Amino acid sequence: MSDALAPSGRYRKGMATRRAVLGDNHVDRAEAASTDFDRPFQELITEAAWGHVWSRAGWTKRERSIVTIALLAALGQDEEVAMHVRATANTGATREDICEALLHVAIYAGVPAANHAIKIVKQVFAEMDAGTVAR
């Protein structure tokens, strides 16, 4: 970690959750690409997003996955949508779950946002089906 201290418990828990959701290959690539500039950001998201929010009791990884995809689609975060759709292989969220989430995006965040996300999701599904998706 950037402050040369041992990783916190929340960081360790976050890294375990991050790996469970995104897969070791994805996390290893992100870690290898990390620099002194973005390492504090990587630590922040590992502790806050993965160690706190994604690791909380109450919702399953499947439920968090569905909500995350809907939020990212609503915000137009294309790369993150694709990444989290790929992660559904680990979270248990189904294609039907994603379809339902994007219907909600269409109504509550706008048809253009949902339409664009559907295009991305279909492309990721095609890659997953062909076995060409980087995990």
Side-chain angles (χ1 to χ4, degrees), residues 18 22-31 83 86 134-135:
R18 187 176 179 193
L22 300 178
D24 288 331
N25 289 339
H26 175 88
V27 176
D28 290 345
R29 281 191 308 272
E31 291 286 300
M83 178 181 73
R86 287 189 293 271
R135 296 266 327 132

Side-chain angles (χ1 to χ4, degrees), residues 28-121:
D28 290 345
R29 281 191 308 272
E31 291 286 300
S34 181
T35 66
D36 288 341
F37 177 76
D38 69 330
R39 196 162 292 113
F41 174 75
Q42 291 296 320
E43 292 168 4
L44 172 71
I45 63 172
T46 300
E47 285 194 357
W50 298 107
H52 184 70
V53 175
W54 272 85
S55 295
R56 290 175 56 85
W59 277 10
T60 64
K61 285 181 178 60
R62 174 186 163 267
E63 292 165 328
R64 291 185 193 287
S65 186
I66 295 164
V67 169
T68 300
I69 290 167
L71 290 166
L72 293 169
L75 293 169
Q77 298 298 311
D78 302 352
E79 290 179 24
E80 295 280 325
V81 168
M83 178 181 73
H84 279 278
V85 169
R86 287 189 293 271
T88 61
N90 300 324
T91 66
T94 66
R95 293 177 184 209
E96 292 78 16
D97 292 331
I98 296 170
C99 177
E100 292 298 325
L102 295 178
L103 290 173
H104 278 267
V105 170
I107 297 303
Y108 292 101
V111 170
N115 188 45
H116 186 67
I118 287 168
K119 177 182 171 187
I120 292 164
V121 171

